[in-house]
């Protein structure tokens, strides 16, 4: 069975988000809800949900045009149109009677071979299917999405043992390939996996913070050390809504066994109750544990005092001398100060609780780790974190503190290990190691690293043999920024591949592909006014990317996350790109007072000039490239990157990040036969006339307050490059000529006080300066 049409019943936040993401997969989806009382528009709720999609930021849609795939309707008039749907998702109120009544209606109109699922996060299968027909039970399951559905990769699947196998496989395959989900099969237990452990972690962190008289900033800083997103615990509570917690805790208290450790801590703290009563429900309310100071002209961030409930100006808390390295984390957890004791209590209880839930909620640690990474954005799942700390060390600390030791950890052995062939294994409920089998079509760079050493390696980059004559060039500096080490290894890699391999993928498994050039490299040269050193860095990047573009083998970029500045430029020089759907790429150099200097200007301009059916003459293409670079436009998805021409129409998009490397490798393999490097491009640009037109446009923006004085200086240099410098439209301009113009503009700007101020501000704050 293939899923080609879908429906969502329930147009609330989750239902609308699920419908939007199904549309992102290119699938038509019907979105239904009830008819409001006295409504003149019977589709009002669904239509309003669609309107909110288009206005929401961040957007649930990867492209605004995807909204055309969503058809609004209502349950009273339009249920019959669900007869065409292959998958129907129920996302109505968490009321079992309402849900079961809807299921009976759906069974009457839906095809017998259509899958019906619920997005519930609180109700078990046995409650949802009570008094339903046996045929219904065989085509019903729970598909629990996480909010927001586009961005949270976890999908928890809970199915009855007698579900039709082809239906389960169809939705799992669709969710994997088309929705980009990491599917985790869960047992039918309260909260399933992620919310069971996540709620325990949040509640423990909240109660311990109050008991230890700590600030919210201290606690969030401590949690961040262990790979928790920067929102921390209290920022996360504000994000999801404080008013949700009493309902969640009440549900767990009613559904969990009497001796369960989460059930024992399900009391709502008085402070939380008072906040909710006063409307402090988080970001959707007046504020939460953090808020923006009311009635203030400037947005001053405040934090609540967990003892008094009063707000004060929030102060960022720094934990000095502690890195993310395991030895530092162990030392921190062993400390005697209140914050050390807090961190130990939260993590020892959370990790022990997770271990105690095998096999109740999952058969092995892998399912739990996957759920917490994809559902809560933890960098490490609980068992991965435990292995980083060392199972033996952790058990010894539990014994010292007279805390119970779960059976799974009693042997003090790691939860994961690699066998002699480098195959990753995971403990099961009986403490036996079993190999981890990747689904077909997935290729993990981490697995390859366990089996073999790098072909080339330095502090910033490595080259790996990924089989079938293909290599993977990996950047691994902080934020994968590009520096002389990574550029030098890229040049070395070209020689290795030319002599021994067939093609190259540029990819890494970090959160972001590359944040661009390492700006800290410019700082010492700027301080010394060593312009020759700056010029060498620019020339090294230009030479490297040029060599990559004209290498005698195919090169495919495989980015995900951020690909900014120099990270975007390297993609512009690849033969093709296989991008993760969540690609945020752009030439953002103007934000630090510069212009792209590693070929970004010439390559983006070439794409606009080469665009089929573009308006005649070079000026429209120059204007488009100028606007994109000057405004530092960044794509908010891979689809939108195609509109900006950062990706070409022939570049591929992979929805599931775990499949990106395999897809990119497959793309290289299709390009090997009869491969030839691209022909050098010759530009014909109008020079001064086009530059004058661009400068007039910038001057108008400045007069209207949309461009600063220094924006005009940067734009003038960018216009000089894109217009071809001192040229005439009849004069051919080579790619090297364009690179010379880029370098000239870059070196001019880097000497200006305005650029120095922008660079210093970015390095200090991480935010652009408008001067």
């Amino acid at each position: 069975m293939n899923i080609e049409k879908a429906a969502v019943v329930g147009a609330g936040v989750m239902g609308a988000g699920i419908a939007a993401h199904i549309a992102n997969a290119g699938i038509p989806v019907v979105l239904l809800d009830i008819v409001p009382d006295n409504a003149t528009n019977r589709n009002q709720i669904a239509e309003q949900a669609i309107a909110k999609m288009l206005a929401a930021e961040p957007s649930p849609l990867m492209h605004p045009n995807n909204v055309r795939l969503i058809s609004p309707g209502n349950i009273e008039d339009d249920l019959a149109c669900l007869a065409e749907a292959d998958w129907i998702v129920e996302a109505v109120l968490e009321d079992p009677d309402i849900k079961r009544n809807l299921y009976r209606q759906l069974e009457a109109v839906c095809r017998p071979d259509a899958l019906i699922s619920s997005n519930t996060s609180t109700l078990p299968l046995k409650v949802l299917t009570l008094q339903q027909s046996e045929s219904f039970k065989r085509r019903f399951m729970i598909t629990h999405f996480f909010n927001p559905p586009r961005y949270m990769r976890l999908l928890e699947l809970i199915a009855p043992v007698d579900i039709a196998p082809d239906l389960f496989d169809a939705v799992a395959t669709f969710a994997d390939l088309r929705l980009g989900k990491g599917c985790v099969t869960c047992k039918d237990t309260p909260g399933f996996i992620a919310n069971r452990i996540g709620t325990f972690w949040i509640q423990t962190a909240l109660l311990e913070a109050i008991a230890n008289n700590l600030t919210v900033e201290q606690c969030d800083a401590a949690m961040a050390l262990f790979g928790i997103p920067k929102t921390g615990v209290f920022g996360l509570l504000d994000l999801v809504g404080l008013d949700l917690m009493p309902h969640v805790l009440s549900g767990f208290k009613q559904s969990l066994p009497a001796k369960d450790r989460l059930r024992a801590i399900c009391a709502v703290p008085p402070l939380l109750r008072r906040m909710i009563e006063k409307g402090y429900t988080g970001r959707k309310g007046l504020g939460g544990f953090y808020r923006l100071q009311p009635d203030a002209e400037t947005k001053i961030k405040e934090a609540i005092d967990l003892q008094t409930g009063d707000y004060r100006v929030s102060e960022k808390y720094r934990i000095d001398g502690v890195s993310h390295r395991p030895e530092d984390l162990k030392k921190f957890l062993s400390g005697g100060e209140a914050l050390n004791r807090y961190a130990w209590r939260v993590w020892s209880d959370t990790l022990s609780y997770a271990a105690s839930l095998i096999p109740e909620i999952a058969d092995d640690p892998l399912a739990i780790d996957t759920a917490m990474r994809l559902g809560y954005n933890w960098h490490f799942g609980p068992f991965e974190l435990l292995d980083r700390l060392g199972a033996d060390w952790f058990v010894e600390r539990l014994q010292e503190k007279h805390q119970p030791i779960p059976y799974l950890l009693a042997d003090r052995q790691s939860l994961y290990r690699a066998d002699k062939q480098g195959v990753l294994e995971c403990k099961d409920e009986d403490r036996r190691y079993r190999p981890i089998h990747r689904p077909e079509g997935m290729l993990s760079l981490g697995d390859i690293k366990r089996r073999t050493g790098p072909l080339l390696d330095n502090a910033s980059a490595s080259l790996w043999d990924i089989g079938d004559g293909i290599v993977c060039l990996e950047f691994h500096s902080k934020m994968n920024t590009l520096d002389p080490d990574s550029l030098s290894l890229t040049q070395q890699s070209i020689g290795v591949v030319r002599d021994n391999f067939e093609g190259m993928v540029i990819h890494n498994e970090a959160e972001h592909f590359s944040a661009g050039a390492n700006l800290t490299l410019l700082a010492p040269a700027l301080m010394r006014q060593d312009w020759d050193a700056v010029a060498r860095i620019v020339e090294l990047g230009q030479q490297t990317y040029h060599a990559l573009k004209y290498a005698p083998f195919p090169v495919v970029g495989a980015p995900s996350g951020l690909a900014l500045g120099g990270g975007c430029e390297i993609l512009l020089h690849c033969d093709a790109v296989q991008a993760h759907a969540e690609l945020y790429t752009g030439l953002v150099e103007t934000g630090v007072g510069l212009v792209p200097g590693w070929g970004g200007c010439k390559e983006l301009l070439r794409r606009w000039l080469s665009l089929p059916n573009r308006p005649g003459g070079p000026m429209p293409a120059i204007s488009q490239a100028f606007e994109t670079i000057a405004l530092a436009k960044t794509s908010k998805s891979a689809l939108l990157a195609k509109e900006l021409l950062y990706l070409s129409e022939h570049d591929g998009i992979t929805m599931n990040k775990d499949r990106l490397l395999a897809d990119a490798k497959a793309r290289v393999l299709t390009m090997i036969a009869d491969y030839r490097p691209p022909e050098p491009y010759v530009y014909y640009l109008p020079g001064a006339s086009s530059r004058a037109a661009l400068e007039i446009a910038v001057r108008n923006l400045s007069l209207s307050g949309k461009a600063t004085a220094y924006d005009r200086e940067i734009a003038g240099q960018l216009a000089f490059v894109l217009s071809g410098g001192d040229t005439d439209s009849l004069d051919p301009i080579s790619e090297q000529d364009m690179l010379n113009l880029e370098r000239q503009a870059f070196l001019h700007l880097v000497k200006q006080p305005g650029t120095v101020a922008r660079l210093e501000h970015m390095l200090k704050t991480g935010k652009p300066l408008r001067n």
Side-chain angles (χ1 to χ4, degrees), residues 468-472 497 501-505 553-555 668 672:
D468 300 310
I470 310 301
V471 301
C472 177
V497 180
F501 293 89
E502 301 288 339
M504 175 191 289
V505 173
F553 51 82
V555 178
V668 176
I672 291 171

Side-chain angles (χ1 to χ4, degrees), residues 590-603:
T590 57
V592 290
L594 297 167
V595 297
W598 286 348
C601 295
K602 77 171 176 68
E603 288 301 315

Side-chain angles (χ1 to χ4, degrees), residues 222 225-226 319-335 340 343 388-389 393:
L225 291 173
F226 296 86
I319 302 176
D320 295 322
V322 183
S323 72
H324 298 288
R325 295 181 302 176
E327 53 267 32
D328 282 355
L329 297 180
K330 288 191 283 188
K331 185 177 179 181
F332 182 73
L333 290 171
S334 301
N340 306 117
R388 281 177 57 80
L389 298 173
W393 176 88

Side-chain angles (χ1 to χ4, degrees), residues 36 80 121 169 174-175 191 199 235 297 321 378 412 449 457 540 625 666 670:
S121 61
D169 292 344
F174 178 82
T199 302
E297 291 185 7
W378 288 11
R412 298 179 176 235
K449 290 179 181 181
D457 188 40
L540 178 61
T670 66

